[in-house]
Amino acid sequence: MTLSAKQKNRQFSILSKSKPLSVQENMQELRSSAHSRRSEPQFDMGDVIYFCRKGVESIIDDEVTKSFSAQELESWNLLTRSIRRFPHRGLRLTLLWGLGVLIRYGILLPLRVILAVTGIFLFVILSTSVGFLPNSKLRFFLGEKVHLMGYRFCVKSLTAFITYHNSENRPKNGSICVANHTTPLDVIILANDRCYSLVGQVHRGLLGLIQRAMVKSSPHIWFERAEVKDRHLVAKRLCDHAADKTKQPILIFPEGTCVNNTSVMMFKKGSFEIGCTIFPVAIKYDFRFGDAYWNSSKFGLVHHLLRIMSSWALVCSVWYLPPMNREEGEDAVQFAKRVKAALAAQAGLADLTWDGGLKRTKVKDAFKEEQQRLYSEILLKVHQTQKQEKCFEDETPEGD
């Protein structure tokens, strides 16, 4: 049975969200619904109801919290971590799940781990060897080939199926590539198609060994722990790298944290202050085959990688957006918002204005003060209006 156009439009109007009202419009609507005799924007005890309502709505429909939790599944995908959400399953599904466990943990996981270890071992050996070559052009050429080999080994070990769109917009040398961030594996997903220069903090252990091998054959940018807080030093090194057209594009995740691939959080303005061309890249994962989101507050990196390797597959789409430059009269914050909006629209993600740092910190006082400022402007506007009316009455002579 098909729905009529009128029914479809009615359903769409119910599901679609209306344009959010301002504080003053909400106040007037609340007062009119309460049959208040005056609708002018001055203090009223009923105004408290508006702020209480907004607080309850924020608790019930919290955009920030939903962005840092695993996506809800409409149907069970036979994975262990989703079995608790679908307790009503029959004997057939239970047998299929048991067979899936044997395949995923008994066959796929060991093969993937062996392939990943082999790829990392070869990458470290070859990248270190290439770093000893005296010829810079030959070292750069071979270093890029070694990096591609290492990244593609890792992609194969994840059984990743990646679809790249609009390859003509692939980032060029001497530029900055920005992308939404879901997992540390975003780097491998993007670098599987072309090499990038990575930016990050110097680590120790196995990760530090890989970083030292990478920088010997490719111009990556690593910072010491004390240098990361120096914004001017970071900006200078990024600017110097982007000014060299022979170097690979810099890959940056402006959100600064991993989000669950349903939305895009606020972009930090640092990478948009440099003044070079920005190549936006949108990444969208298909969570039906496995959850790619890394909840760092719940799982460690090794645990996260094992969860990915024990999934059925890693399926995602990558869109290369046209290059974007800062417009005249546009500051870094506005430029970052424009890039984020284009990226979110391409991947079908929600464009949120919240800072991803709220994942671990409390709401800044600036957000609270902004709501207080909006409400105080309503009261001040009334006070000024009343003052002007009084002055006008004093200056107007009385009639006969």
Side-chain angles (χ1 to χ4, degrees), residues 1-11:
M1 181 180 294
T2 59
L3 295 174
S4 62
K6 186 176 181 180
Q7 289 175 325
K8 289 182 179 179
N9 292 333
R10 183 181 179 184
Q11 288 184 349

Side-chain angles (χ1 to χ4, degrees), residues 240-283:
D240 293 342
H241 184 104
D244 191 346
K245 299 302 179 182
T246 62
K247 292 185 178 180
Q248 300 161 351
I250 304 173
L251 178 59
I252 297 178
F253 301 102
E255 290 172 291
T257 187
C258 293
V259 186
N260 68 354
N261 207 227
T262 60
S263 60
V264 184
M265 308 292 281
M266 183 184 74
F267 278 6
K268 304 293 191 299
K269 66 177 182 178
S271 56
F272 299 90
E273 294 176 328
I274 298 175
C276 65
T277 302
I278 299 292
F279 284 84
V281 178
I283 309 174

Side-chain angles (χ1 to χ4, degrees), residues 225-244:
R225 184 180 296 273
E227 296 176 338
V228 175
K229 298 181 180 179
D230 191 346
R231 291 187 57 188
H232 297 288
L233 177 62
V234 174
K236 184 179 183 304
R237 291 188 61 180
L238 293 178
C239 186
D240 293 342
H241 184 104
D244 191 346

